[in-house]
Amino acid sequence: MTSISRARGVWLPVAVWAVTRAVVLLCVLRVLVLPGPDVTTDVSVIYQGWFHVLQTGTFPLNDVTWQYPPAAALAILSPGLLPFLDYTAAFFTLVLVTDAAMLALFLRAGRRADHRPAGAWVWIAGVALLGPTAYARYDLMVTAVAVTALFAAVRRPRVAGALIAFGALLKVWPALLLTGAALRGRRARALWWSAAGTAAGLMLLFVALAPGALAFLTFQRDRGTEVESLGALVFHVARQYGWDGQVLLNYGSLEFLGPGVPFVSTVAVTLSLAAVGWLFLWRVRVRELRPATLCEAAFTATLLFTTTSRVISPQYMLWLVGLGAVCVTVRAGRQTLPVVLVLLATGVTLLEFPIGFAQVVASDPWGVALLVVRNGLLVAASVLACRRLWVSTRGDGPGRTGPVRVVRARRAAAGTAAAAPELTGTAPQPRTGGAPPSP
């Protein structure tokens, strides 16, 4: 690769990132105003309110919208690192810095052997497609921790385990990164023990430091069916035929309340449990762990739980964008099409929130159509991701290595040397007890 090609491979994505992030910043700073609700109020009102409560040495015990594990307090308190800025500006600045660090991480990873720069482009596009919501929630910070853990797993399993535990205490879902982790071998033990030890140590620390560290468990349990979820489509359609329920602000989000809602919520939980069952069956039936298995299993598991969740908040798409970007960075990955579907779903998410959110809440045909498309893309991506993960770890796909076969040497012609024996097929790689390379 020439120096010109290398420069283009770095500066072109950096330039595109800079342009798209400038637009996102103009939106969150209200210089450019998108139709729909102001997405920045979560930062300027809710986060800032929690900031003041946390400074007193306690978690927001009297606020049911606090539905996050205890380490989330660190993200909420982080703008205090920039005392020369007001809370909102400091929060956006930190998210911007985190975003830039992620781009650098993907660009660097793309130069490794058996990797490619496609992940950087997925990250650039995914955050831009989500719009101002990407910068107005702390989920981008959580995604950064998860992505860093996946890349660290190759050479630093202890660091990866600690990051996974820390991410899980930020917002639970990074625990799914362990779905495809190896169970035997020195590196596997290092990852699992590091994750378990870090999680236990941090949890004990938070419980000891401030009351209310575990309050999020009760608040999360009592949530209902949010208007953007897959199950909500039942009530969006039912409203057209006289269903007498309503949409109310409940536990920090707009949810359906009325006849049939508990049943649909139970179905959603059942689907999530079914996803757990499928993932368990997959682990039992796995024949080989490939270089991309760790990230692809994490992407698939997170996609399943997002799709079946009672709440599909717009910022959840960031989780899938980050994990999907890691999947396409690994050249051996097979989740490209599901990742593309996730990117399309992310773009549709911007159309339904904030731009068309009023139509969604009112069950207007346009709003319902956007939800059908977005959630349909997530369902399709889930099915494809599951199928590709299953096939890729069965050991009998197109990439399966065959035995070495020796073909008898050809008879020498007069006056010539005999041809050397030919080797056909590829020798299977020796199986070791350690964890396979991961992205």
Side-chain angles (χ1 to χ4, degrees):
M1 180 182 291
T2 66
S3 58
I4 295 178
S5 298
R6 284 195 297 269
R8 184 180 301 167
V10 172
W11 292 113
L12 180 59
V14 169
V16 175
W17 178 90
V19 171
T20 57
R21 291 340 184 238
V23 175
V24 172
L25 281 174
L26 290 175
C27 289
V28 295
L29 295 175
R30 305 294 288 172
V31 176
L32 296 177
V33 180
L34 292 178
D38 180 6
V39 301
T40 64
T41 56
D42 273 41
V43 177
S44 60
V45 177
I46 300 176
Y47 287 8
Q48 190 165 3
W50 291 339
F51 176 80
H52 295 307
V53 173
L54 290 166
Q55 283 184 316
T56 66
T58 182
F59 288 92
L61 293 173
N62 299 321
D63 188 348
V64 295
T65 61
W66 176 261
Q67 301 165 9
Y68 309 111
L74 300 179
I76 303 303
L77 290 169
S78 62
L81 297 172
L82 305 176
F84 48 87
L85 295 174
D86 64 50
Y87 184 88
T88 303
F91 184 87
F92 294 151
T93 300
L94 291 175
V95 174
L96 176 66
V97 171
T98 305
D99 188 6
M102 290 297 295
L103 176 66
L105 182 61
F106 278 114
L107 290 175
R108 180 180 179 182
R111 295 196 296 268
R112 293 180 186 173
D114 299 323
H115 285 56
R116 54 187 176 183
W121 288 107
V122 171
W123 179 255
I124 292 169
V127 175
L129 286 171
L130 191 58
T133 303
Y135 273 32
R137 306 290 188 272
Y138 82 93
D139 293 77
L140 191 145
M141 299 176 179
V142 183
T143 303
V145 173
V147 169
T148 305
L150 286 176
F151 283 128
V154 180
R155 299 179 179 89
R156 299 177 178 87
R158 288 186 178 85
V159 173
L163 287 172
I164 290 172
F166 179 61
L169 290 178
L170 278 171
K171 208 165 187 181
V172 180
W173 70 265
L176 295 173
L177 271 61
L178 294 170
T179 302
L183 301 176
R184 294 186 297 273
R186 180 178 58 83
R187 296 172 65 85
R189 288 193 298 272
L191 187 147
W192 282 96
W193 278 110
S194 175
T198 303
L202 287 177
M203 183 62 76
L204 289 174
L205 179 64
F206 282 116
V207 170
L209 286 178
L214 303 179
F216 75 99
L217 295 172
T218 301
F219 295 158
Q220 191 66 246
R221 180 196 62 197
D222 295 334
R223 297 196 70 164
T225 297
E226 193 254 355
V227 294
E228 296 169 275
S229 65
L230 183 63
L233 290 172
V234 174
F235 302 110
H236 283 297
V237 174
R239 290 175 94 181
Q240 314 302 320
Y241 297 94
W243 180 71
D244 59 354
Q246 54 187 333
V247 175
L248 293 176
L249 185 63
N250 190 47
Y251 288 94
S253 64
L254 290 171
E255 299 179 352
F256 280 111
L257 298 175
V261 173
F263 174 76
V264 171
S265 297
T266 300
V267 171
V269 173
T270 303
L271 289 175
S272 295
L273 293 175
V276 173
W278 185 89
L279 290 169
F280 178 78
L281 178 63
W282 167 75
R283 278 308 306 244
V284 170
R285 301 291 295 274
V286 164
R287 292 182 181 175
E288 64 173 341
L289 294 177
R290 300 169 50 253
T293 298
L294 183 64
C295 63
E296 292 188 336
F299 172 74
T300 303
T302 306
L303 181 58
L304 285 173
F305 283 104
T306 299
T307 304
T308 60
S309 172
R310 294 171 293 171
V311 182
I312 307 181
S313 295
Q315 63 269 22
Y316 291 8
M317 302 305 298
L318 281 175
W319 314 346
L320 304 176
V321 167
L323 299 182
V326 179
C327 290
V328 300
T329 297
V330 183
R331 196 174 296 277
R334 301 180 183 178
Q335 297 289 346
T336 301
L337 181 55
V339 172
V340 170
L341 294 179
V342 164
L343 286 177
L344 294 175
T346 304
V348 178
T349 299
L350 174 62
L351 296 178
E352 64 93 0
F353 184 89
I355 295 175
F357 196 58
Q359 287 81 5
V360 171
V361 173
S363 299
D364 180 85
W366 171 245
V368 176
L370 288 175
L371 282 184
V372 168
V373 173
R374 196 280 299 273
N375 293 344
L377 287 168
L378 289 178
V379 170
S382 299
V383 173
L384 282 173
C386 287
R387 184 179 185 280
R388 293 186 175 206
L389 179 65
W390 183 279
V391 171
S392 69
T393 55
R394 291 290 292 167
D396 51 4
R400 187 185 181 186
T401 57
V404 177
R405 299 191 305 275
V406 180
V407 180
R408 181 176 299 176
R410 296 189 298 274
R411 184 185 302 276
T416 63
E422 297 177 359
L423 293 179
T424 64
T426 305
Q429 297 299 312
R431 304 182 68 89
T432 64
S438 307

